[in-house]
């Protein structure tokens, strides 16, 4: 049976052979045993409903074993035997170009070169799932292959609810992930309901099929590190010879050393999982690997003296680095953390003084003890960071819930008034005022042909558009425009592609629309194949997250989620090919609501109409909200957007004299 036939088969009538469990692969950690006896029966019943009754006796003991051994039912037997990667769009069976593009993006999310735990359908972040099990994957792909442009596939947390009649301008797929009743969004609620097979953690771009490998976060991290360097620069100097210390080499966090190299500094990125370290080193995303903190210190001193641009993976716990460098007076210029602290009790953060294997064992067998160890480690890490910042280190929270979880652990991390944190989130200090409030965020595209020459052509098209826009851009956004031009010009030489032929840059609504229209025109002239547009949810409008994306909203509304919900509703009727809305993401289950979209450009007038309508809304929704919060950069951007489109009428706040309130 060939690839297309296997897609069309869906859940097979006859079960495939049971597969051996490959210990050499990078598997998800065992989840905690949280279900009682009756709930385990329910989880098994939920899993078996995907299969004909004739298979239940065969599958029951197998699924029971998976639940007991791994804490979840993944249905390993059902994983297809074909390779997972973003095939050219015309290699997928189907009646709809749009549906084929979505299949391409799903397979990219599960590509072993891209995904963190592909056997468990997890793309990144330790729990960012595309599907809960392999039956869901098979059924979803079958529906996509069968549907036409008068149908919409409805996805409930990885489960394909079915195809419903709609129309060509409706989304082809609508995705929801983890949309819990608010009182059921605690971490253990995710553990329980995910184990039952009724919800999942879609992260941001995992469960919305829009992850493009670490390139996406490389760009955001590069801009963050560059602008952090500008904040600490005393005489306008660059980052040469300056040291950036952080942690995490899995999933998205694996982009940090590559970003450090592009930004031009010395980077130390600690990682406890040897497989993650080996993967990033093999891919060329990190230059060197050192597993001894004393040797690391010597290497850093040499790099500082020579003003080297080098990235070093420390095979060990980052707490060791912070503490040893404090004791030995090794100056750290920039510091952050990108472990998956949104998921602290299930593999997102590993405590110091436990080996990787010991930690994995303890988190499943003795979760309360593991929790104590994690919190003790966070207190030690925060204490060491405080010693460095007292000497001048600029430390920022990189939106991974580090400060939030450290505060919950009782670390000395609060501001003097006790209401906030002593360190800013990177959105508060850097990305919010410098990018999001002006409408700049992570616009991305994928060349669905799979041709490298198409990616090169789109790079050239985007560069030309950016140069033209920069000529007439106001002074307030000249730096953002220049950073993007430099990024896109150097994108190929930095070998950023992992998986699909994708690219990312930070653009505002004007830039996104102009670039997308230029792509669509090129597709119409048959110079390139179809293009998939999207963005990270981590953007101007897509995400309501009080400790990250909306942490620079100070009118009291940062704990509301109207913006993200309005965003995905507005995208859906303005022409998005697929839309998604999730509970959870980079900062944790119950801590954020985030929405995303995908759009297929086919080179016709209908694609042009959709891109103009949807992309304008997708950015300016967030600008309007940020403007109403009295963010001066967003007020500027909102007024500029109204000048550009007379049909836009944004409610502008009247500013109050602060002295009047005293």
């Amino acid at each position: 049976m060939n690839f297309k036939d296997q897609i069309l088969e869906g859940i097979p009538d006859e079960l495939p052979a049971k597969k051996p469990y490959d210990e050499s692969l990078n598997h998800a950690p065992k989840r905690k045993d949280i279900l009682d006896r009756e709930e385990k029966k329910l989880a098994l019943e939920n899993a078996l409903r995907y299969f004909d009754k004739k298979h239940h006796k065969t599958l029951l003991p197998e699924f029971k074993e998976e639940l007991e051994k791994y804490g979840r039912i993944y249905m390993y037997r059902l994983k297809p035997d074909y390779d997972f990667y973003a095939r050219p769009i015309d290699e997928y069976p189907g009646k709809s170009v749009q549906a084929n593009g979505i299949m391409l993006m799903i397979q990219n999310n599960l590509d072993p070169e891209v995904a963190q735990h592909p056997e468990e359908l997890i793309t990144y972040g330790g729990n960012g799932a595309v599907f809960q099990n392999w039956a869901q994957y098979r059924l979803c792909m079958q529906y996509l292959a069968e549907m036409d442009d008068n149908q919409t596939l409805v996805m409930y947390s990885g489960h394909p609810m079915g195809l419903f009649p709609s129309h060509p301008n409706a989304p082809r797929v609508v995705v929801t992930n983890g949309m819990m009743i608010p009182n059921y969004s605690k971490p253990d609620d995710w553990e329980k309901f995910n184990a039952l097979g009724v919800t999942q953690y879609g992260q941001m771009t995992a469960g919305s099929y829009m992850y493009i490998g670490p390139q996406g976060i490389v760009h955001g991290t590069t801009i963050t590190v560059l602008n952090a360097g500008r904040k600490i620069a005393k005489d306008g100097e660059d980052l040469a010879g300056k040291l950036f210390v952080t942690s995490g080499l899995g999933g998205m966090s694996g982009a940090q050393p590559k970003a450090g190299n592009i930004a031009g500094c010395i980077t130390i990125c600690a990682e406890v999982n040897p497989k993650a370290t080996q993967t990033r080193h093999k891919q060329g995303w990190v230059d060197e690997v050192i597993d001894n903190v004393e040797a690391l210190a010597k290497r850093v001193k040499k790099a500082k003296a020579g003003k080297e641009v080098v990235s070093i993976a420390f095979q060990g716990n980052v707490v060791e680095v912070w503490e040893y460098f404090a004791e030995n007076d090794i100056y750290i210029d920039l510091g952050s953390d990108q472990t998956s602290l949104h998921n602290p009790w299930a593999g997102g953060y590993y405590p110091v003084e436990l080996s990787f294997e010991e930690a994995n064992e303890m988190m499943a067998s003795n979760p309360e003890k593991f929790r104590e160890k994690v919190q003790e480690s966070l207190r030690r890490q925060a204490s060491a960071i405080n010693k460095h910042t007292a000497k001048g280190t600029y430390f920022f929270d990189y939106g991974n819930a580090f400060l939030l979880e450290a505060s919950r652990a009782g670390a000395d991390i609060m501001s003097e008034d006790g209401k906030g944190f002593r360190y800013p989130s990177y959105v508060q200090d850097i990305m919010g005022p410098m990018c999001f409030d002006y409408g700049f965020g992570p616009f991305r595209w994928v060349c669905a042909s799979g041709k490298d020459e198409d990616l090169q052509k789109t790079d050239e098209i985007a560069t030309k558009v950016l140069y033209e826009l920069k000529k007439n851009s106001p002074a307030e956004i000249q730096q953002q425009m220049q950073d993007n031009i430099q990024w896109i010009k150097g994108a190929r030489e930095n070998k950023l592609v992992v998986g699909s032929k994708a690219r990312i840059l930070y653009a505002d609504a004007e830039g996104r629309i102009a670039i997308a229209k230029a792509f669509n025109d090129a597709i119409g002239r048959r110079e390139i194949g179809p293009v998939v547009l999207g963005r990270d949810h981590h953007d101007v409008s897509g995400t309501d997250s009080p400790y990250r994306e909306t942490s620079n909203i100070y009118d009291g509304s940062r704990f509301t989620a109207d913006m993200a919900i309005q965003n995905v509703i507005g995208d859906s009727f303005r022409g998005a090919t697929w839309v998604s809305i999730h509970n959870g993401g980079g900062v944790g289950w119950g801590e954020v609501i985030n929405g995303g979209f995908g759009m297929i450009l086919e080179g016709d007038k209908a694609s042009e109409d959709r891109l103009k309508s949807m992309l304008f809304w997708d950015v300016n929704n967030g600008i309007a909200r940020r403007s109403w919060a009295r963010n001066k950069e967003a007020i500027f951007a909102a007024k500029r957007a109204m000048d550009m489109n007379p049909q836009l009428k944004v409610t502008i706040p009247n500013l109050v004299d602060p002295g009047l309130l005293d």
Side-chain angles (χ1 to χ4, degrees), residues 366-474:
N366 194 345
E368 288 307 312
K369 183 67 173 176
F370 182 75
R371 184 186 184 105
E372 290 173 12
K373 288 288 186 183
V374 165
Q375 294 195 320
E376 177 189 344
S377 189
L378 284 168
R379 290 191 293 270
R380 282 178 56 176
Q381 185 171 344
S383 177
I385 288 167
N386 292 343
K387 291 175 183 176
H388 285 279
T389 58
K391 300 174 186 177
T393 298
Y394 175 62
F395 182 86
F396 55 91
D397 184 293
Y398 203 19
N400 66 329
F402 172 76
L403 293 178
L404 181 63
E405 288 302 332
S407 70
R408 289 169 174 170
D412 180 16
I413 212 79
M414 303 304 294
S415 57
E416 288 186 10
D417 62 11
K419 294 181 180 179
F421 302 125
R422 68 163 66 188
Y423 303 116
S425 134
Y426 76 116
V427 173
Q428 287 176 292
D429 249 20
I430 301 169
M431 301 305 285
M434 294 181 180
C435 293
F436 292 168
D437 285 352
Y438 284 119
F440 284 81
F443 179 60
R444 54 180 64 173
W445 65 88
V446 175
C447 296
S449 67
K451 296 177 181 178
D452 194 59
E453 55 265 36
D454 276 15
L455 183 59
Q456 183 167 347
K457 287 175 185 175
T458 57
D459 284 348
E460 292 166 357
I461 290 168
T463 303
K464 183 178 179 181
V465 169
L466 289 172
Y467 268 119
E468 288 300 311
L469 292 176
K470 187 176 184 293
K471 290 178 184 177
N472 299 309
S473 293

Side-chain angles (χ1 to χ4, degrees), residues 518-539:
F519 289 167
N520 197 56
D521 291 345
I523 297 164
R525 295 190 298 267
R526 298 190 177 181
E527 294 172 4
I528 58 174
V531 170
V532 181
L533 299 182
R535 57 162 169 75
D536 194 344
H537 297 203
H538 170 67
D539 196 12

Side-chain angles (χ1 to χ4, degrees), residues 48-311:
L48 290 170
R49 61 184 157 177
Y50 286 98
F51 303 93
D52 190 285
K53 280 187 175 182
K54 66 183 179 182
H55 298 308
H56 288 184
K57 285 185 179 179
T58 300
L59 292 173
L60 179 59
E62 191 174 312
F63 290 171
K64 185 178 180 183
E65 181 185 22
E66 286 187 15
L67 186 59
E68 290 173 352
K69 190 176 285 188
Y70 312 118
R72 297 292 187 272
I73 300 170
Y74 296 114
M75 308 184 188
Y76 291 117
R77 178 196 286 257
L78 271 291
K79 182 186 177 185
D81 293 326
Y82 50 72
D83 292 333
F84 282 77
Y85 63 95
R87 290 167 169 78
I89 193 169
D90 56 7
E91 291 188 17
Y92 292 90
K95 306 169 186 175
S96 164
V97 172
Q98 295 181 16
N100 282 23
I102 298 169
M103 284 191 274
L104 179 159
M105 297 300 289
I106 288 172
Q107 288 214 302
N108 187 67
N109 270 24
L110 294 171
D111 181 341
E113 292 294 312
V114 174
Q116 184 182 20
H117 305 305
E119 297 295 301
E120 291 77 32
L121 304 112
I122 290 171
T123 303
Y124 64 86
N127 55 9
V130 190
F131 302 95
Q132 297 176 58
N133 58 58
W134 287 105
Q136 290 179 347
Y137 165 81
R138 282 178 174 264
L139 189 55
C140 175
M141 295 293 278
Q142 181 185 39
Y143 278 138
L144 288 167
E146 292 175 347
M147 73 186 298
D148 60 35
D149 287 342
N150 285 294
Q151 292 173 298
T152 293
L153 174 60
V154 176
M155 298 294 298
Y156 277 37
S157 284
H159 169 66
M161 192 59 72
L163 291 173
F164 291 79
S166 60
H167 55 83
N169 286 327
R172 297 284 67 78
V173 180
V174 176
V175 179
T176 55
N177 279 300
M179 298 306 293
M180 305 298 292
I181 303 300
N183 280 347
Y184 301 90
S185 276
K186 298 180 292 298
D188 271 358
D189 290 326
W190 171 73
E191 294 279 3
K192 176 179 178 179
F193 292 108
N194 189 223
L196 283 172
V198 295
T199 195
Q200 73 173 8
Y201 197 105
Q203 264 282 351
M204 301 185 96
T205 52
S208 61
Y209 325 141
M210 190 45 72
Y211 189 57
I212 59 168
Q215 177 184 175
I217 193 67
V218 168
H219 183 239
T221 306
T222 300
I223 290 177
T224 300
V225 175
L226 280 173
N227 283 314
R230 289 166 183 152
K231 287 182 72 69
I232 65 171
K234 295 179 175 62
D235 299 301
E237 75 276 8
D238 59 21
L239 283 164
K242 291 186 169 68
L243 176 61
F244 173 44
V245 172
T246 185
S247 54
L249 280 173
M252 294 174 66
S253 60
Q256 295 179 106
K258 174 67 85 171
N261 281 4
I262 296 170
C265 62
I266 304 159
T267 304
I268 294 173
C269 193
E271 173 59 56
V272 296
N273 182 351
K275 288 178 181 174
T277 304
Q278 291 159 12
T279 296
R280 294 305 175 213
H281 189 237
K282 175 184 160 188
Q283 290 174 337
W285 290 68
V286 64
D287 299 324
E288 301 174 16
V289 179
I290 297 174
D291 62 5
N292 178 281
V293 73
E294 293 179 11
L296 178 70
K298 288 179 183 177
R299 180 67 184 91
V300 166
K301 288 177 182 177
K302 180 184 175 186
K304 278 177 168 277
K307 290 194 172 183
E308 294 181 55
V309 175
V310 63
S311 56

